[in-house]
Amino acid sequence: MISRTSQKSALSFTTIAFTACFAVWTIFAIIGVQIKQDLGLSETEFSLLIATPILAGSLVRLILGIWADQYGGRPVFLAVMLSSAFFTWCLTFADSYGMMLLTALGIGLAGGSFVVGVSYISKLYEKERQGTALGLYGMGNIGAAVTKLLAPFVMVSYGWHMVAQVWAVALVVIAVLFWIFTKDEPQIKARKEAHAVPKSMAESLKPLGKLQVWRFSLYYFFVFGGFVALALWLPRYYVGVYDLDIETAGVLAAFFSIAGSVFRAYGGHLSDKYGARSVMYWTFAVCAVCCFLLSYPETDYVVHGIDGDFAFSFGWGVFSFTVILFVLGFFMSLGKAAVFKHIPVYYPDNVGSVAGIVGLIGGLGGFVLPICFGLMTDYVNIPSSAFMLMFLLVAVAFLWMHVSIRLMERRKFPEIVKPHFFTELEQPGPVLKVWKPEDEAFWKREGYKIARRNLWLSVPALFLAFALWMVWSVVVVNLPAIGFAFTTEQLFWLTALPGLSGATLRIFYSFMVPIFGGRRWTAISTALLLLPTIGIGIAVQDPTTPYPVFLILALLCGLGGGNFASSMSNIAFFFPKREKGNALALNAGLGNLGVSAVQFLVPIVVVYNIFGGLAGAPQQVGDTELWVQNAAFLWVPFIILSAVLAWYFMNDIADVRASVASQMAIFERKHNWIMCVLYIGTFGSFIGFSAAFPLLAKSQFPDVNSLQLAFIGPLVGALTRAGSGWAADKYGGGRVTLGVFVAMILGTVGVLYFLGIKDQPYAFYGFFAMFLLLFAATGVGNASTFQMIPVIFWQDRKRALAGEPEEEIRKAAERESAAVIGFSSAIGAFGAFFIPQSYGMSIASFGTADVALYIFIAFYALCLFMTWYFYTRKGADVKC
C-alpha cells in the first residue's frame, strides 16, 4: 500500500496539474471576448469558439480513461499536459476564425485530463477515503476562476496573445513538477513487475453496457457540463445584460466558478459520510429552485387598482443574481463530487473507462449547452433563456434519479406494497420474456406475427430517418436562390456533414438496443428527429442566419443517419437465420426510400403554401415564391406519429438487453473489419451518391434541370435492395457481392466517359444512366453484404465454439452478427461524408470530379478482391 506521504504528494500535485489544465481549457471564456471583437463574430460564432475546446476535451475522455487504466495515470497525464501546452502556444499564431477553431480542438485535450486524474487518484486511496480524495482533486475546477481572475488583467495590459503564452509556459512547468513529485500507482507497478498484459479495449468497455452508467452520465451532464457552460457564458452575460466591463464581469463570474470548484472537496466528504445518493437529492432539489429563479426574465407589470393603474418591475439586480449563482455553483460542486463517489464503488476495476464515458457526456454538456445558450439568445431573445434550459435539464435528471432509486428499493424489498405505476412496469406486455425464432413451432405460433409487426413499424421510422438525413442534399440547392451567399465549397460541407455525424452516431447507436430496448430506442431516436426538422424550418426563413448555425443543423441531421444502425440491429434479433436476409433487406430497402422521397417531394412542396400561415412567410425568387421551410416542416407530423406508434406497438426483447458487453467481442473478429470495408463500398456509395448527385449534376451540367430527376437514383437503389434479398439467400451473398463490385467499376468508368464529353447534347443522359447503374448495384450490394454477415458469423462461431451446445453457438452468432450489422453500417455511412467531400475537393483542386472517380474505381477493385479472397474462392475460410 502506498504511504500517506506519497498519497498527499500525489493528490496535491495532481490537483495543481488539473487546476492548470482547467485554466487552459476555459481560456476562451476571457480571450474569446477580445477575439470576438477583433474578428467581428456573431453570438453563435462566439459560442462555437468557446465551446470547441470543451467538445474536444469531452470526446477524448473515454479513450484517455481507458489508457490511464491500461498504462497508468501518471504518464498519460504528463502527455496530456504537454500536448495542451503546445496547442495553447500555437494559438498565438492563428489569424483567422477557422485556424482559431482548429487550434481550439488541440487546446481541448486539457479537458481530458480530468478522467486520467480520477483513475490515478482512486487507485492510490482506500475505498472509505476515495470520496474525499476525489473531491479534493475535483477542486481543480477552480482553474476556471483562475482564468477569469487573472486573464482579464493580463489581456488588458498586454493583449490576449500574452495570456495564451503565459498559460502555455505555466502548464509545462507544472507538468515537470508533477512528474518529479508523483509516483506510479501500485497496481501499475505490480502489473509491470509481473509482465502482465493490460486489459483489452473490449474488456474496458464492458461496463458501458449498464444503464446505470448512462444515468450517472446525465447527472454529470448537468452538474459538470452545466457548470462549464455557465463558467464560459457568464462573462459575456454580465457584459451584455448588466453593461459591465470585462474585468468586473470576470471577477463576478469567478464567484460562480469558485463556488462550483472549491466546495467539491466538501461534497466528497459529505458523500463519504452520508452517502452520495443523499447528496444528489439535495443537489438536484436546490439547483432546480435556483435555475427556476434565474430563468425568470425582467418583467414590467401593470396592475389595475381601484383608484387607477399602478406599475412595478421585477428583475434580479447584479448582487442578487450573483448570490443565487453562488448557491447554484455550491450545490453543483457537491453534485460533481457525489457522482464520482459512485464510480470507484460500483466499478472499482474499470474506473478509467466508466469515468471516461461519464466525463465525456458531462464534457459534452459544456460544449452543447453554450451553443444552445447562443441559439436561444438569438432566437428567443430573452437573456435568461439559458437558465430556462438548465431548469428543464435538472428536472429531467431529478425525475430519472428518483424513479430509478424507487425501482431499486422495491426490487430489494418486494414486501413493500407497490404503487400502480411501478406494478405496470413489471407486467408482461411490450417486453418479450421468451423469444425463440429458430424454434419452428414457436415461430409459426406467435413469433412470425410479432416479428412482422415490429418490422412494419420499424420501416416508416427508418424511412423518416433517411429523409431527414438527406434533406440537405435538396435544401442546399435552394439556399443561394433565397439570399444565402454561401460558396460552392460551403454548400458541399452542408451536404457532407450529416453524413459525418450520422456515421459517427451509428457507432454508438449500434449498441443502444441492448441498453434501452428496441422499442424504447426506436421511439426515442425517432422523436429526436424533431430537433433538426424544426431548426431547419426556422433557419432557412432568415437570410442573415449565420453559417455556423447551418453547420450545427447539418450535424444534427446526422441523428437520422444514426437510426439505421440501431434499427437494423433490432430487426436482426426478431427473425430466424433463414429469413434474416430478406427481413433486413425489406427494413433497409424500404427505409432507404426516404432518400428518394425527400428528393422527389421537396422540390414540389417548396413551391406551395401547404401550411397556410403556420409555417411562415415565403421567400421571393424573381417572380416566384418559395416556402423552403416546407422541406423540413413537412416531416414533423409523421415523425410524431411514428414515434408514438413505435412506443405503444413495438416490442423489447428481454434477452437482448443483457448482451451489450459480449457484443464488444466483434472488435477482435477480422470478419467484422472486412465487412466494414465491403459495406463502405456498397452502402457508403449509395448514401454518398445520394447526397452528392444533385449538387454534382448541377455543377457539371448547369443547363439541365437535374434536380427533378435526382430522386430516381436513390429510388432505384432502395427498390433493388428491398427486392434482391431473396437472391442473396438463394445464390449466396458472396457471389452476388462479387458481381456488384464488377458492375460498380463499369458504372464509374461510364460516368468518367460521359463527363469527358459533357459538352455533347446526349452526355447528361449517359451520365445519368451510369449513375442509375451504380445506384442499382449499390442496392443489390447492400442486401447481399447484410445477408453475408449472419452466415459468416454462424460458421465462424461454430468453428470457434466446437463442442459447445448448439443453443450457445446460435446465441453467440446472433449476438455478434447483430452487432456487426450495426457497426458496419456505421463505418459504411462515412461514405455520406467522404464522397461529397471527394467531389468538392476534386473540383476545387483540379476543376473536375475525375480524380475522385478514379479513386472510387481503385477502391471498388480492392473490395472485389477481398470478396473473392475471403468468401468465394475455392480455399476460402468462410464460404458464403
Side-chain angles (χ1 to χ4, degrees):
M1 183 64 187
I2 190 170
S3 68
R4 287 294 174 89
T5 302
S6 297
Q7 284 180 333
K8 291 178 180 179
S9 177
L11 178 59
S12 299
F13 281 95
T14 307
T15 303
I16 293 171
F18 176 50
T19 302
C21 286
F22 211 90
V24 167
W25 199 32
T26 56
I27 193 172
F28 280 104
I30 298 300
I31 68 173
V33 176
Q34 184 61 51
I35 293 172
K36 179 180 186 295
Q37 295 177 3
D38 293 347
L39 299 182
L41 305 180
S42 67
E43 290 290 343
T44 304
E45 288 172 325
F46 171 71
S47 302
L48 183 61
L49 177 63
I50 65 175
T52 295
I54 311 305
L55 173 64
S58 304
L59 294 179
V60 299
R61 286 185 169 191
L62 178 57
I63 189 65
L64 288 178
I66 293 173
W67 284 349
D69 277 348
Q70 291 177 329
Y71 307 111
R74 187 164 166 259
V76 176
F77 210 125
L78 178 70
V80 168
M81 294 182 73
L82 295 178
S83 301
S84 304
F86 169 76
F87 283 106
T88 306
W89 186 271
C90 289
L91 178 64
T92 61
F93 299 99
D95 56 2
S96 66
Y97 182 63
M99 288 298 296
M100 292 283 181
L101 290 177
L102 188 62
T103 313
L105 287 172
I107 293 173
L109 291 172
S113 63
F114 175 68
V115 295
V116 181
V118 169
S119 177
Y120 178 57
I121 295 299
S122 66
K123 290 181 174 64
L124 301 179
Y125 280 82
E126 53 273 21
K127 181 179 178 181
E128 58 272 15
R129 298 177 61 216
Q130 285 176 337
T132 302
L134 290 174
L136 287 167
Y137 166 70
M139 286 174 58
N141 288 164
I142 202 173
V146 172
T147 291
K148 290 184 179 67
L149 286 171
L150 301 181
F153 299 99
V154 176
M155 185 173 70
V156 170
S157 301
Y158 304 102
W160 70 263
H161 293 82
M162 180 60 71
V163 177
Q165 291 169 356
V166 171
W167 266 231
V169 171
L171 198 57
V172 172
V173 172
I174 294 172
V176 173
L177 294 174
F178 166 80
W179 185 255
I180 294 173
F181 291 102
T182 58
K183 297 179 180 179
D184 288 336
E185 308 96 302
Q187 297 89 334
I188 298 299
K189 288 182 179 179
R191 185 191 299 163
K192 291 179 179 178
E193 292 171 359
H195 302 288
V197 178
K199 286 188 301 184
S200 67
M201 184 71 72
E203 288 179 303
S204 298
L205 291 172
K206 282 183 179 179
L208 306 191
K210 296 184 178 296
L211 184 60
Q212 183 187 52
V213 173
W214 298 93
R215 182 159 51 86
F216 292 163
S217 299
L218 176 63
Y219 303 166
Y220 207 59
F221 186 88
F222 172 77
V223 295
F224 176 75
F227 165 75
V228 173
L230 289 175
L232 294 169
W233 187 255
L234 282 174
R236 177 63 182 160
Y237 189 91
Y238 274 114
V239 171
V241 175
Y242 295 107
D243 198 26
L244 303 178
D245 57 74
I246 186 61
E247 293 94 336
T248 306
V251 171
L252 292 177
F255 281 109
F256 171 76
S257 298
I258 291 171
S261 305
V262 298
F263 295 106
R264 187 164 183 163
Y266 185 55
H269 169 71
L270 292 177
S271 298
D272 281 341
K273 187 174 182 179
Y274 299 107
R277 182 179 299 172
S278 298
V279 176
M280 289 306 303
Y281 264 107
W282 277 103
T283 294
F284 284 150
V286 177
C287 287
V289 172
C290 290
C291 289
F292 178 79
L293 294 175
L294 293 171
S295 66
Y296 201 87
E298 186 172 351
T299 309
D300 294 325
Y301 294 92
V302 177
V303 178
H304 300 292
I306 296 174
D307 296 326
D309 296 345
F310 63 93
F312 65 94
S313 299
F314 174 81
W316 298 111
V318 175
F319 178 77
S320 55
F321 178 80
T322 304
V323 169
I324 298 173
L325 269 179
F326 186 88
V327 175
L328 177 64
F330 172 79
F331 278 92
M332 280 182 156
S333 69
L334 302 187
K336 285 182 280 188
V339 171
F340 272 86
K341 166 65 178 177
H342 284 96
I343 294 174
V345 173
Y346 284 100
Y347 307 99
D349 298 325
N350 295 280
V351 174
S353 58
V354 176
I357 193 63
V358 172
L360 186 155
I361 300 299
L364 283 178
F367 169 72
V368 173
L369 290 174
I371 297 175
C372 294
F373 294 167
L375 291 172
M376 293 181 75
T377 301
D378 284 342
Y379 292 104
V380 179
N381 203 27
I382 298 176
S384 63
S385 59
F387 296 102
M388 298 176 188
L389 179 61
M390 293 291 288
F391 174 75
L392 177 62
L393 184 59
V394 69
V396 171
F398 198 178
L399 179 63
W400 191 9
M401 181 184 75
H402 181 67
V403 171
S404 299
I405 290 171
R406 291 295 300 274
L407 287 173
M408 286 190 293
E409 288 175 346
R410 295 176 188 284
R411 280 195 293 267
K412 187 175 181 180
F413 303 105
E415 67 276 9
I416 299 176
V417 178
K418 300 177 182 179
H420 180 63
F421 169 75
F422 294 103
T423 304
E424 283 186 337
L425 292 180
E426 298 181 0
Q427 292 301 312
V431 179
L432 302 174
K433 303 291 179 63
V434 177
W435 188 250
K436 300 178 180 179
E438 300 295 345
D439 184 328
E440 190 69 30
F442 172 84
W443 181 251
K444 289 182 178 179
R445 185 177 65 253
E446 54 186 308
Y448 175 82
K449 181 179 179 181
I450 294 173
R452 283 284 163 173
R453 184 179 70 241
N454 280 270
L455 172 62
W456 294 120
L457 288 173
S458 175
V459 165
L462 190 56
F463 176 96
L464 292 167
F466 270 100
L468 263 294
W469 196 23
M470 288 293 106
V471 72
W472 278 115
S473 67
V474 183
V475 171
V476 293
V477 179
N478 291 299
L479 292 181
I482 60 175
F484 291 92
F486 299 150
T487 66
T488 300
E489 187 174 5
Q490 286 178 315
L491 294 176
F492 268 113
W493 268 105
L494 291 179
T495 305
L497 278 180
L500 178 63
S501 61
T504 304
L505 285 172
R506 282 187 177 192
I507 297 174
F508 297 99
Y509 276 40
S510 299
F511 305 103
M512 289 296 104
V513 170
I515 294 173
F516 291 96
R519 173 186 67 91
R520 290 186 182 91
W521 186 246
T522 301
I524 292 169
S525 60
T526 301
L528 285 174
L529 299 177
L530 292 171
L531 295 176
T533 307
I534 296 172
I536 292 171
I538 295 172
V540 297
Q541 297 183 59
D542 183 3
T544 65
T545 302
Y547 183 66
V549 173
F550 283 98
L551 292 178
I552 294 168
L553 291 171
L555 288 170
L556 285 175
C557 282
L559 292 168
N563 286 9
F564 181 80
S566 55
S567 178
M568 296 297 281
S569 176
N570 182 45
I571 293 302
F573 282 108
F574 278 97
F575 285 84
K577 184 168 72 273
R578 64 183 180 277
E579 295 189 30
K580 284 185 190 293
N582 192 47
L584 293 173
L586 286 171
N587 188 53
L590 297 179
N592 287 169
L593 285 173
V595 179
S596 181
V598 78
Q599 294 180 342
F600 174 72
L601 290 174
V602 167
I604 297 174
V605 299
V606 297
V607 299
Y608 295 104
N609 186 14
I610 60 176
F611 293 106
L614 295 177
Q619 298 87 44
Q620 198 70 34
V621 181
D623 297 329
T624 305
E625 289 186 336
L626 293 181
W627 285 264
V628 178
Q629 61 267 34
N630 290 353
F633 289 148
L634 170 69
W635 312 104
V636 169
F638 300 105
I639 290 171
I640 296 172
L641 177 63
S642 180
V644 171
L645 291 175
W647 182 264
Y648 284 104
F649 297 106
M650 289 186 73
N651 296 98
D652 299 316
I653 301 175
D655 289 344
V656 173
R657 289 179 59 81
S659 66
V660 67
S662 54
Q663 290 187 12
M664 296 295 179
I666 66 170
F667 297 118
E668 300 174 5
R669 310 283 188 250
K670 73 173 184 179
H671 294 292
N672 171 52
W673 302 107
I674 294 170
M675 293 309 301
C676 284
V677 174
L678 299 186
Y679 202 60
I680 291 173
T682 55
F683 179 78
S685 296
F686 168 79
I687 202 67
F689 291 154
S690 299
F693 176 79
L695 204 52
L696 177 67
K698 188 70 175 177
S699 64
Q700 299 300 303
F701 298 92
D703 297 331
V704 179
N705 189 6
S706 56
L707 192 60
Q708 293 183 346
L709 303 174
F711 77 95
I712 298 177
L715 175 64
V716 169
L719 292 178
T720 55
R721 180 170 193 165
S724 64
W726 65 269
D729 283 337
K730 183 175 181 179
Y731 300 109
R735 294 177 181 176
V736 174
T737 304
L738 204 67
V740 162
F741 286 121
V742 171
M744 293 180 71
I745 291 172
L746 295 175
T748 310
V749 170
V751 171
L752 273 168
Y753 171 75
F754 286 107
L755 283 178
I757 59 169
K758 63 182 180 181
D759 293 334
Q760 298 297 320
Y762 59 85
F764 172 77
Y765 300 101
F767 167 84
F768 183 60
M770 291 299 101
F771 259 104
L772 289 184
L773 172 61
L774 286 170
F775 275 113
T778 60
V780 176
N782 291 337
S784 63
T785 48
F786 268 14
Q787 188 276 343
M788 292 168 66
I789 292 172
V791 175
I792 290 168
F793 278 85
W794 173 258
Q795 296 182 49
D796 181 70
R797 292 298 86 203
K798 191 172 183 179
R799 183 184 299 114
L801 301 176
E804 297 289 332
E806 185 169 332
E807 181 66 13
E808 293 300 317
I809 297 173
R810 181 190 66 79
K811 286 184 178 180
E814 285 188 350
R815 184 170 58 241
E816 294 192 13
S817 62
V820 171
I821 285 171
F823 184 73
S824 62
S825 74
I827 302 302
F830 280 105
F833 171 75
F834 287 112
I835 286 181
Q837 276 298 78
S838 297
Y839 286 141
M841 293 175 66
S842 179
I843 292 171
S845 302
F846 304 101
T848 71
D850 291 5
V851 174
L853 292 167
Y854 282 119
I855 293 173
F856 298 160
I857 291 172
F859 181 70
Y860 296 149
L862 173 64
C863 293
L864 178 68
F865 172 78
M866 292 177 70
T867 306
W868 169 80
Y869 184 82
F870 289 106
Y871 303 120
T872 63
R873 69 185 176 92
K874 188 174 182 180
D877 288 340
V878 177
K879 298 280 287 185
C880 61

